[in-house]
Amino acid sequence: DQQVKQNSPSLSVQEGRISILNCDYTNSMFDYFLWYKKYPAEGPTFLISISSIKDKNEDGRFTVFLNKSAKHLSLHIVPSQPGDSAVYFCAALSMDSSYKLIFGSGTRLLVRP
Amino acid sequence: DAGVTQSPTHLIKTRGQHVTLRCSPISGHKSVSWYQQVLGQGPQFIFQYYEKEERGRGNFPDRFSARQFPNYSSELNVNALLLGDSALYLCASSSLRSSYEQYFGPGTRLTVT
């Protein structure tokens, strides 16, 4: 039972263009959603989060959009840079469930120079 | 400020053996969580500790145990290792103020032969 799904295993984008990574979830009780970036041989790096009471959060080149009615969120990276090439994980958390993060399976982003 | 640290970085064990993995949280963080990541999947929640008390446990067998010490560092123990326990074991810490934002260490790569 996958509560958090990332249906695109990979994405390739030209440098300077927008990267859009998508995530779907099934549990309407999630309170927060987070995006992490992971390079090989490193732990996940926290990028940006959004509360379930908001529909948008922005931090520099990164913006996360939340559509609760569709149970869908997306991460926009503008402009994309070659250093953004990594695996991106979407994660969700319910604060009445021991604060455990439930992760999607990840999307590998390649930004081509 | 140092991030989350984990030791060892790599470990090779034989089936049936026991392993102890260690984690030191970010200074000031009192909560530590453990996750297991197998190739091609997102991290899966194992345990969370806050103020030395277990706050949550994932769907892992009793061979997995953990504890948190007075200095908030933590150990993850796995007994009777199986080949399927081969994975990257990640530790994450979070503060009381932003308990939903978890910051990960580099992980311990465990190989069971």
Side-chain angles (χ1 to χ4, degrees):
Chain A
D1 176 23
Q2 253 188 304
Q3 296 187 62
V4 178
K5 296 181 185 178
Q6 294 176 258
N7 292 317
S8 299
S10 63
L11 175 68
S12 181
V13 169
Q14 192 74 35
E15 180 180 6
R17 307 294 283 265
I18 184 171
S19 295
I20 300 176
L21 297 110
N22 294 303
C23 179
D24 297 297
Y25 62 96
T26 57
N27 187 346
S28 58
M29 300 303 291
F30 287 136
D31 297 293
Y32 285 96
F33 301 89
L34 301 90
W35 284 93
Y36 286 84
K37 176 172 75 173
K38 188 178 185 303
Y39 294 118
E42 293 184 13
T45 301
F46 170 73
L47 278 176
I48 191 169
S49 64
I50 187 167
S51 164
S52 61
I53 63 173
K54 297 188 175 181
D55 55 18
K56 178 182 176 182
N57 189 27
E58 193 171 351
D59 184 1
R61 296 186 299 114
F62 302 92
T63 303
V64 56
F65 295 92
L66 176 62
N67 182 336
K68 281 192 295 184
S69 61
K71 293 191 177 70
H72 177 84
L73 65 155
S74 60
L75 175 68
H76 293 211
I77 306 174
V78 183
S80 301
Q81 300 172 353
D84 295 330
S85 298
V87 177
Y88 288 78
F89 289 100
C90 167
L93 177 150
S94 169
M95 294 182 78
D96 66 355
S97 181
S98 72
Y99 296 80
K100 69 177 181 183
L101 288 171
I102 299 174
F103 283 84
S105 54
T107 297
R108 182 175 301 277
L109 173 66
L110 174 65
V111 180
R112 307 185 308 274
Chain B
D1 258 352
V4 176
T5 60
Q6 292 185 244
S7 63
T9 53
H10 295 86
L11 203 50
I12 299 175
K13 290 285 191 178
T14 305
R15 271 182 303 176
Q17 285 188 316
H18 161 272
V19 69
T20 297
L21 310 180
R22 294 179 175 85
C23 170
S24 292
I26 291 171
S27 177
H29 286 192
K30 298 182 178 180
S31 178
V32 169
S33 300
W34 287 95
Y35 292 82
Q36 180 197 65
Q37 186 182 17
V38 298
L39 201 61
Q41 296 181 20
Q44 295 239 318
F45 174 77
I46 309 175
F47 284 109
Q48 185 176 92
Y49 277 78
Y50 176 72
E51 288 279 15
K52 303 183 290 292
E53 298 286 327
E54 182 183 302
R55 188 156 71 170
R57 183 187 183 112
N59 189 22
F60 280 81
D62 291 344
R63 299 184 296 107
F64 289 76
S65 63
R67 55 180 175 167
Q68 187 177 31
F69 299 100
N71 66 354
Y72 305 109
S73 67
S74 177
E75 280 183 357
L76 175 69
N77 295 283
V78 187
N79 292 324
L81 285 166
L82 303 174
L83 295 179
D85 295 331
S86 296
L88 180 67
Y89 288 85
L90 295 161
C91 173
S93 74
S94 57
S95 68
L96 181 62
R97 187 177 176 189
S98 300
S99 51
Y100 58 91
E101 289 182 6
Q102 297 182 21
Y103 295 87
F104 285 83
T108 294
R109 171 71 62 187
L110 172 65
T111 302
V112 182
T113 62

